[in-house]
């Protein structure tokens, strides 16, 4: 086979065992222990099911313990192979990994040559634990079509098990009938690479300079290590909340090693800017009618750790947590159980608050385990009246929706919100337009087949997550939020980024457009015409209320239908009206005008030392008269009840005396 010299730093990208670009049919093995440990499971970062022995185990494992075992990958084309990355078996029950191995290459899968290190067969260092990926660079990069990993030694108390990725560059071959096939990519001219903190900041600044009229960069706080949490705002009037214009947010990088969301949001900034300048009517309308906020890196400290290792060598968990070791997706206040506990002990559960549940006191103390990143996001949520959001994660292909936390700490249980139907709609909108999720022939990522649920699932039905951002957002603010698991690979190689952008582009856009579904309006004072803040908007048969923003505007996400809506605010007489939501993604306008209660008007006049007008005096007299009549009726009913009880008691005494 021809040999080409490359510097160690310029080794080729992965073939795609982890990303699933390499099909199961391209992977074979000398033997395998059972179906669940077959060659198709020998993929880098493959995760196992909890039960050992099921169909979805965490590695390829050979059936025999000898040096004649191998895992073979067919690259389909002539390929310049430059390296192998190896990992042990993912299992909570077994310890299995390969400690040393050889590499063999072939053009026909019949005649094999062992990779040489000078005049001797090269022996590559493998693993010393289950999870840490180890890179083995070929001493001389070599062109072939097939490659085999041939284990030589393994953990003494285990067996031959491995997960792998192969590094290789496709080579032009005039005899290859598939050589003219177009490599998948993107036509959008975006900066497709992984950006560290400094590069991310530079890119955001460049977008702001290209589109100064529709962008603004601001920070919401700092990470534990002092890195700023940057947000890009995209709107036709950046820096200002416009009356009636909904606020939308995307959050990425909550887990620092789940890097795809970060890059997608950086892509999205560039795309919205360039398409707006081109006059793309869909994008112009979206930016004109929506205030968009993009937080690409909620956990920049964790990302920097994963970035240092690189996309294939960071493993499954390196950089997931903050510098303090906190999982941000479990770090928000658990408001679910506060609400559920209150409902259980209440005489009337419908009277228990179902929204804007306050942060518990224990969470506000100085010694509470609350990450600075979490505090920053909570303050951000309270400053801006967000309507809709999505939290971008990675490592699976599914969209989850609240509640994430289950009742009574069940490990898995469907736990719907009062808005379950709309949340299912939101999740379906993203999943059905995602090019991979929507593909019925796609392979499952690890061990769960989410296609059985149309690629959406209630968070609690998947696994319970107390203190999630989604649940907190729903119960503490007006904002509806889902979690999107963007791809099987948490940290895709840079070569995969254009493909992943195309997979997610339409989903990212159409999901933002859902912020305009349902009803919206302004709650105003009848006399002053001023907006009323914190007015409660209650939709009949929906046990989740929302509140108006500082200017009195509100947005209530709803599916198409007819709704009875009641609005009330402290000191005002409630107002009721019927609101209709159509099938188009356009909000139905439902404004409300509230009149102050006579008592409230009297309080305000007296506070100012003014004279009570005659109409108010008449209203107060009528109110007192109504109260008097109501109290009289209540007293009469109580007296009648007491009289009847007295008569019943006398009758029972008379009967007992005759007996």
């Amino acid at each position: 086979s021809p040999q080409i010299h490359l510097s160690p730093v310029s080794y080729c990208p992965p073939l795609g065992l982890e990303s699933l670009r390499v099909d199961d049919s391209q992977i074979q093995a000398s033997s395998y222990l059972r179906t669940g440990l077959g060659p198709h499971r020998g993929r880098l970062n493959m995760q196992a099911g909890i039960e050992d022995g099921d169909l979805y185990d965490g590695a390829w494992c050979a059936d025999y313990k000898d040096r004649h075992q191998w895992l073979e990958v067919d690259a389909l084309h002539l390929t310049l192979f430059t390296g192998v990355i190896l990992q042990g078996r993912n299992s909570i029950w077994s310890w299995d990994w390969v400690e040393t191995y050889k590499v063999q290459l072939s053009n026909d899968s019949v005649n094999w040559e062992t990779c040489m290190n000078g005049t001797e067969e090269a022996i590559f260092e493998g693993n010393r634990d289950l999870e840490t990926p180890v890179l083995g660079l070929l001493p001389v990069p070599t062109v072939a079509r097939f490659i085999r990993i041939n284990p030589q030694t393994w953990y003494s108390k285990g067996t031959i098990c491995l997960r792998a990725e192969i590094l290789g560059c496709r080579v032009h071959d005039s005899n290859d009938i598939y050589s003219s096939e177009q490599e998948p990519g993107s036509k959008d001219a975006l900066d497709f690479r992984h950006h560290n903190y400094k590069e991310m900041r530079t890119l955001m600044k460049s977008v702001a300079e290209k589109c100064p009229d529709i962008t603004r960069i601001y920070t919401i706080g700092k990470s534990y290590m002092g890195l700023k949490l940057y947000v890009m705002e995209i709107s036709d009037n950046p820096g200002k909340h416009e009356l009636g214009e909904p606020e939308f947010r995307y959050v990425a990088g909550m887990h620092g090693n789940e890097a795809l969301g970060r890059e997608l949001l950086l892509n999205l900034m560039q795309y919205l800017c360039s398409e707006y300048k081109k006059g793309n009517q869909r994008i112009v309308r979206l930016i004109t009618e929506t205030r968009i906020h993009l937080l690409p890196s909620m956990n920049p400290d964790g990302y920097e750790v994963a970035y240092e290792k690189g996309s294939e060598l960071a493993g499954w968990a390196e950089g997931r947590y903050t510098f303090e070791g906190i999982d941000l997706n479990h770090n928000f206040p658990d408001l679910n159980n506060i609400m559920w506990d209150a409902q259980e002990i209440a005489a009337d559960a419908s009277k228990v608050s179902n929204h804007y549940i306050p942060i518990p006191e224990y969470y506000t103390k100085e010694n509470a385990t609350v990450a600075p990143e979490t505090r920053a996001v909570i303050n951000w949520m309270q400053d801006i009246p967000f309507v809709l959001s999505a939290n971008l994660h990675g490592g699976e292909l599914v969209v989850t929706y609240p509640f994430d936390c289950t009742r009574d700490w069940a490990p898995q249980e469907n736990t719907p919100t009062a808005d379950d139907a709309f949340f299912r709609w939101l999740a379906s909108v993203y999943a059905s337009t995602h090019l991979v999720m929507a593909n019925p022939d796609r392979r499952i990522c690890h061990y769960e087949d989410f296609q059985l649920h149309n690629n959406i699932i209630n968070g609690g039905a998947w696994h319970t997550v107390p203190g999630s951002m989604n649940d907190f957002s729903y119960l503490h603010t007006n904002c509806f939020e889902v979690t999107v698991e963007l791809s099987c690979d948490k940290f895709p190689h840079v070569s995969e980024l254009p493909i992943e952008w195309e997979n997610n582009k339409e989903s990212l856009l159409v999901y933002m457009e859902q912020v305009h579904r349902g009803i919206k309006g302004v709650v105003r004072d009848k006399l002053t015409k001023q907006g009323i803040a914190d007015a409660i908007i209650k939709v009949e048969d929906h046990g989740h209320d929302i509140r108006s923003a500082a200017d009195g505007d509100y947005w209530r996400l709803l599916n198409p239908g007819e709704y009875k809506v009641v609005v009330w605010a402290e000191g005002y007489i409630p107002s009721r009206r019927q609101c209709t939501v159509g099938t188009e993604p356009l909000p139905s306008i439902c404004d409300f005008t509230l009149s102050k209660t006579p008592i409230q008007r009297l309080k305000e006049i007296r506070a100012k030392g003014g004279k009570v007008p005659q109409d108010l005096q008449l209203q107060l007299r009528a109110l007192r008269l109504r109260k008097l009549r109501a109290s009289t009726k209540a007293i009469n009913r109580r007296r009648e009840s007491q009289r009847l009880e007295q008569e019943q008691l006398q009758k029972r005494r008379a009967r007992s005396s005759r007996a």
Side-chain angles (χ1 to χ4, degrees), residues 419-452:
D419 288 285
D420 189 60
F422 193 79
F423 271 119
R424 290 177 63 81
W425 165 261
L426 287 174
S428 297
V429 162
Y430 200 104
S432 65
T433 51
H434 187 284
L435 297 187
V436 180
M437 286 192 220
N439 179 3
D441 299 321
R442 75 172 175 89
R443 184 193 189 282
I444 66 169
C445 288
H446 299 285
Y447 56 89
E448 293 186 86
D449 187 358
F450 290 111
Q451 291 195 79
L452 298 173

Side-chain angles (χ1 to χ4, degrees), residues 18-34:
E18 181 179 12
S19 68
L20 305 183
R21 285 183 73 183
V22 171
D23 190 76
D24 286 353
S25 62
Q26 293 173 246
I27 313 172
Q28 298 186 45
S30 52
S31 65
Y32 53 90
L33 206 54
R34 58 173 181 271

Side-chain angles (χ1 to χ4, degrees), residues 301-368:
D301 296 349
Y303 175 82
E304 292 299 302
V305 171
Y307 179 84
E308 283 297 314
K309 288 286 185 73
S311 59
E312 279 66 61
L313 299 179
W316 189 250
E318 189 102 28
R320 173 185 177 90
Y321 305 103
T322 67
F323 184 84
E324 301 171 275
I326 295 172
D327 186 334
L328 295 177
N329 204 32
H330 293 257
N331 197 227
F332 287 79
D334 174 9
L335 305 183
N336 306 53
N337 284 289
I338 291 174
M339 180 180 70
W340 293 329
D341 291 347
Q343 287 172 349
E344 285 185 12
I345 63 174
D348 183 356
S350 66
K351 302 295 183 186
V352 175
S353 178
N354 59 31
H355 73 302
Y356 273 57
I357 297 171
I359 294 171
E361 190 175 342
Y362 76 85
Y363 193 87
T364 63
K365 293 182 178 177
E366 286 186 23
N367 62 351

Side-chain angles (χ1 to χ4, degrees), residues 354-355 418-419 474-475 477 480 537 539 542-546 556:
N354 59 31
H355 73 302
D419 288 285
Y474 182 68
L475 293 175
T477 77
F480 287 33
I537 294 89
V539 178
H542 282 62
H544 180 77
D545 306 333
I546 63 158
R556 182 55 166 97

Side-chain angles (χ1 to χ4, degrees), residues 475-600:
L475 293 175
H476 187 68
T477 77
N478 289 337
C479 188
F480 287 33
E481 183 172 288
V482 303
T483 290
V484 183
E485 298 283 348
L486 295 161
S487 74
C488 301
D489 188 350
K490 287 186 176 186
F491 201 143
H493 188 268
V494 63
S495 60
E496 300 282 348
L497 294 180
I499 304 163
E500 291 294 0
W501 165 248
E502 289 300 321
N503 289 341
N504 286 277
K505 178 169 69 172
E506 176 60 22
S507 305
L508 289 166
L509 295 175
V510 75
Y511 184 81
M512 284 194 285
E513 290 168 340
Q514 304 314 303
V515 76
H516 297 286
R517 286 198 178 271
I519 61 174
K520 76 171 187 178
V522 183
V523 183
R524 290 188 173 92
D525 183 294
K526 185 176 182 179
L527 287 177
T528 67
K529 309 303 181 189
Q530 295 296 308
I532 301 171
D534 286 326
I536 296 176
I537 294 89
K538 185 182 289 287
V539 178
E540 195 171 274
D541 298 326
H542 282 62
H544 180 77
D545 306 333
I546 63 158
R547 298 197 181 207
S548 59
D551 297 330
D553 46 352
Y554 77 91
W555 305 262
R556 182 55 166 97
L557 299 176
L558 291 164
N559 283 325
E562 298 277 339
Y563 299 94
K564 292 177 183 176
V565 183
V566 180
V567 174
W568 63 276
E570 194 169 341
Y572 288 88
I573 300 168
S575 176
R576 178 191 299 267
R577 63 173 293 188
Q578 189 100 349
C579 300
T580 303
V581 177
T583 55
E584 294 298 312
L586 298 169
S588 300
I589 308 300
C590 262
D591 293 328
F592 288 84
T593 302
L594 302 187
S595 300
K596 286 194 173 94
T597 63
I599 291 174
Q600 180 65 26

